[in-house]
Amino acid sequence: MLPSAWPTGNFGKRLWNTIRENWYLGFTSFGGPPVHFKIFREKFVDKLQWIDEQVYQELFSVCQAFSGPGSTKMLYCINLIHDGFLPAALGFLIWSLPGALGMLGLAIGVSNIGESLPRAVYALLSGLNAATVGVIALAAVQLAEKAITDKLTRSLVFLGAAAGMLYNALWYFPLLMLIAGIIAVVYDFGWLHKPARQLVSLPQRLRGKLTQRRHSGHEVDEGIDLPGRQREPETEPSRLAAAAISTKRGVDAHQRLPITNRGAIVTTTGSPQPDPLPSPPSPPRTVPPSHRLTITWPLGLAIIGLFIASFAATMTLRGVLASPPLLYRLFANMYLAGTIIFGGGPVVIPLLREYVVAEGWVTPRDFLIGLALIQGFPGPNFNFAVYLGAVTAVRGGYPAAAGAVLGYLGIFVPGLVTVHGTMGIWSAIRRWRWVKSGLRGVNAAAVGLIYTAVYRLWQIGYIDEGFQQGASLANDPWWVVVTATSYVGGCWFGVSPPLACILGAVLGLIRYGVVQGQAV
């Protein structure tokens, strides 16, 4: 946003506005992005009227269409429009820091525990993981219902999930989404429709040619006199009878078909009816000037260009350095994750496993502990990166705070920077057909990757003394029931994700009590 386009009121007043209306959100906003969006709408559209419904829907489209934390970007944009850049940045800190500090404390505690935990704790964590799988599976189904609009998107969801299950790599998931976007563009523009139709009809056309050649010279055309064939002489009465039949058929067809004539409609009875009067056009909706997105497209394009340059430099440096420091590799992986992960919190939590556990920085047990507990924290689910960064730093001999800060910046900065720049060019490109086509393909593949995450978490969600690296939840029917309970509770009875996870923990402790009672 250009400085001249920022709100011009008293800076202290605008800053106080942000503090007064945002200070408690980071402590009370449980339930993940779906609940966050509802809270923001009720507060900033219905109650405070900082933005109107039209601007809210526009912001929702921008925040959901690109990578990064959807609800965090929405809150940032609302504060940006109403109070300017610095208050918006402050609002982001107020929103995200409570959960981030909680995850930092959790990471320090987990890093100091021994190699083994009490079996009751393992049972509790397994119950949390089983419930989390149900929550993410439900999120995958709900997102799929929105992403699937035709056979193409249904196929892309399935293929994205299947491809994600078959192979894992840091570069693999963004490549899948890029391919899905290209496929959607090619399909929607019909570049392959004509060749495909020709290919499908090729056998039929070949059979037709063979049949024509086989019967060439043997077909009898009624309009051609062939040798040996006698044509019946046509008499005058027969010609008159044929003309009468033709005239009658024309009259019948004229009476059956409605025909327009200078604004009148001829009905089946032949009586003319006047055309219905056109409805008056609805008045254009006017958005107050103070509530319009006023970031110019040159500035938005420059911001996005600078971000792309920084991303390329970060990834290039990571690949060029022979032995980059641990903290730099941590930041680079989180920067990559924040740039390419679509779908918000339900996607980033499980997919971050590939960026830390596969690297050997965080043990599967510690990852699962954080994964189980992040569901009960307020604010953005992207704060899970704070926990992973702190654990990575401690395991590598660095201060926990250093890893937490790098994880925090790496996971949040890409989404906030790109949405700030995208708001400037979105109004110019949102109606481009290839942009819409590409985004629907990318979103479909991203939803498919959520199913991949469900599968991988299912395979490692059960932890105990004998298998702290994680085992399949299917090894014990109890965890299958816990997962199904979490899914059904959220789908049919409106149970919130935090409550579902707490219920899963309780069911885990119940299992532990039953097993211990039987052992005694």
Side-chain angles (χ1 to χ4, degrees), residues 388-404:
L388 298 176
V391 173
T392 298
V394 172
R395 300 295 188 195
Y398 297 95

Side-chain angles (χ1 to χ4, degrees), residues 195-215:
R197 285 194 298 267
Q198 292 178 346
L199 184 62
V200 170
S201 63
L202 181 60
Q204 182 178 1
R205 288 187 285 110
L206 291 176
R207 286 196 299 269
K209 290 182 179 180
L210 291 176
T211 303
Q212 183 178 1
R213 291 177 181 177
R214 187 179 303 115
H215 297 284

